[in-house]
Amino acid sequence: MISLAMPRPSAPKSESTRALILASALAAFRERGFERVTMREVAASAGVALGAAYYYFDSKDALVTAFYEQAQAEILPALDRTLAQSRSLEQRIRAIIQHKLDYFAPNRRLMAALSSHIDPQNPLSPFSADTSRIREQDIACFARAVSDSGVKLPPSTLPYLPRLLWLYQMGLMLFWVYDRSPNQQLTTLLFDKTLRMILITLKLASLPIMRPLHRHAGDLLHAIYDADPNANFDQAPL
Amino acid sequence: MISLAMPRPSAPKSESTRALILASALAAFRERGFERVTMREVAASAGVALGAAYYYFDSKDALVTAFYEQAQAEILPALDRTLAQSRSLEQRIRAIIQHKLDYFAPNRRLMAALSSHIDPQNPLSPFSADTSRIREQDIACFARAVSDSGVKLPPSTLPYLPRLLWLYQMGLMLFWVYDRSPNQQLTTLLFDKTLRMILITLKLASLPIMRPLHRHAGDLLHAIYDADPNANFDQAPL
DNA sequence: GTCTATATGGAGATAGAC
DNA sequence: GTCTATCTCCATATAGAC
């Protein structure tokens, strides 16, 4: 036994410095936009040297990831409460996504930085292995929203519904980030209309005429999500 | 009359230099990946000074745009021929998209650079005003594929079908760019399955039960695509 | 108009002080 | 472990030669 060296998971030693740097950065980003803010300014406004900022955050983008993680931690409990009030699937999904839009609204411009990394090999990507914890938590929310909601889907597609809803959320937020309409009203409309259409489609899905669609969807989803991870996928950085 | 100063639309003066720089850049990108290649290397391998490269191309990204424009010019005639052989809607769409995938395959990694600009305000974005000419040409292809194909859709949604198909194509290519499966076989499957599903859905669309979907879709599409451009949209750079 | 030489400013890396 | 000072490399800008 080397030592009992993990009594406090995150020693408050200088956790405060980290928090200070992050807070300064977010304030600057909100005020002047992510692109225009330099790491030098972040460090200066936090009262530390440039190297200190890089000691706590590997890159400028890492600040965004930290914000994203912090946000997730703050949002989850609220979603738990909302889901507990067991309402309809539509109301549950609406509540989940709307809560996130509201939460992120003050930092909407900052989210643009997040959305520029789509490559799953990029650690900052919402699809990367590094962000899988956040992603899984998020998908779990949709899984709870689906459970005991009475959705009727064949077993070949039902298991993928939470992941598809998560993907829907990501697409919606991507639109929102770049939505310049007054008060992002286009996003509101897109959200409302597409969600209604999804719910209608889920109801129609049990009709016999939809059978061929299910077959194709099931095949595709299985191949994409349950692909053998040992298949020789290319690990080169593009 | 100042002068007859436009006899040759693009004087071959040193159009060749431009072509040389572009070719050198593309070769380097193919070989070592867009990110790892510096403008210095591009200039050096073309045998010109750094400034010369910037004289012809405003930025490193502009090289990608130039490639994209060149590609579009080379692809269009081929698509014209394909569409003239008036086949079914499915075969037409399949031919259009497959031709692009084949054409871009050698430069697939380069396309990743294109896809990192989603912001419509970014000149390099496929959704920007600057790339509207390419975009419109591309959408026109899908419009021709739809025309006289016998698709039955209500007048509230039919006019948007070409644009939706274009969007479908963009999404598919985004997936393709980051698809590390052997020979991008996952993309092939995604393409095949989703296209079949789209065609089935278009056939089912005339059923009366689909009426509520059409209403929502029509409202949404009208708001998104036919929005008053004079509405006070935010022009700030995020 | 074409192009070279040189300058600027920022992201990220690192050596070592404490 | 925490942080400062300094360094490298690059995209991009610009002055001016031809």
Side-chain angles (χ1 to χ4, degrees), chain B residues 73-95:
Chain B
E74 292 182 21
I75 288 176
L76 267 187
L79 293 187
D80 275 340
R81 267 175 272 127
T82 304
L83 287 173
Q85 308 174 216
S86 180
R87 289 175 283 177
S88 71
L89 177 61
E90 175 167 1
Q91 290 197 310
R92 281 170 162 180
I93 297 178
R94 200 179 288 280

Side-chain angles (χ1 to χ4, degrees), chain A:
Chain A
M1 218 172 279
I2 309 300
S3 88
L4 301 175
M6 46 168 73
R8 291 160 301 173
S10 69
K13 297 181 91 164
S14 54
E15 187 64 22
S16 61
T17 307
R18 187 193 146 92
L20 177 65
I21 293 172
L22 181 55
S24 305
L26 293 180
F29 293 156
R30 260 193 302 271
E31 211 168 312
R32 313 193 23 248
F34 179 76
E35 307 290 353
R36 275 186 294 270
V37 174
T38 72
M39 283 298 272
R40 283 160 175 74
E41 291 171 311
V42 169
S45 81
V48 299
L50 177 62
Y54 277 106
Y55 174 72
Y56 288 104
F57 301 96
D58 285 341
S59 71
K60 193 176 166 186
D61 290 309
L63 285 162
V64 185
T65 301
F67 164 67
Y68 190 44
E69 275 169 0
Q70 177 185 290
Q72 180 74 358
E74 292 182 20
I75 287 176
L76 268 187
L79 293 187
D80 275 340
R81 267 175 272 125
T82 304
L83 287 173
Q85 307 174 217
S86 178
R87 287 174 284 180
S88 71
L89 177 61
E90 175 168 2
Q91 290 198 310
R92 280 170 164 180
I93 297 178
R94 201 179 288 280
I96 293 175
I97 298 182
Q98 190 61 54
H99 186 269
K100 283 182 192 151
L101 290 178
D102 292 343
Y103 181 94
F104 286 123
N107 297 288
R108 189 176 67 95
R109 303 192 311 177
L110 177 56
M111 303 300 284
L114 250 180
S115 66
S116 16
H117 304 105
I118 307 176
D119 189 348
Q121 301 243 319
N122 187 315
L124 303 175
S125 161
F127 305 99
S128 76
D130 303 64
T131 54
S132 65
R133 221 181 51 90
I134 297 180
R135 187 170 58 251
E136 297 304 335
Q137 284 179 345
D138 225 7
I139 292 173
C141 278
F142 287 105
R144 265 182 294 164
V146 169
S147 75
D148 70 31
S149 72
V151 184
K152 290 271 190 298
L153 274 187
S156 59
T157 53
L158 185 60
Y160 305 103
L161 187 54
R163 274 172 281 193
L164 290 175
L165 289 172
W166 179 80
L167 213 53
Y168 164 66
Q169 167 197 252
M170 298 305 281
L172 192 69
M173 295 195 65
L174 184 62
F175 185 94
W176 173 73
V177 164
Y178 296 113
D179 179 3
R180 264 93 169 186
S181 68
N183 207 26
Q184 283 71 57
Q185 60 186 24
L186 272 185
T187 301
T188 304
L189 186 70
L190 181 68
F191 183 23
D192 183 61
K193 290 298 184 185
T194 50
L195 185 53
R196 282 170 195 270
M197 291 172 75
I198 288 172
L199 269 293
I200 294 173
T201 305
L202 283 177
K203 283 197 183 95
L204 293 178
S206 20
L207 295 178
I209 7 156
M210 300 296 183
R211 195 68 58 84
L213 283 177
H214 285 142
R215 218 177 45 83
H216 289 305
D219 291 352
L220 178 58
L221 290 167
H222 177 73
I224 301 246
Y225 283 121
D226 300 326
D228 179 7
N230 292 338
N232 57 332
F233 274 63
D234 185 3
Q235 295 301 313
L238 276 188

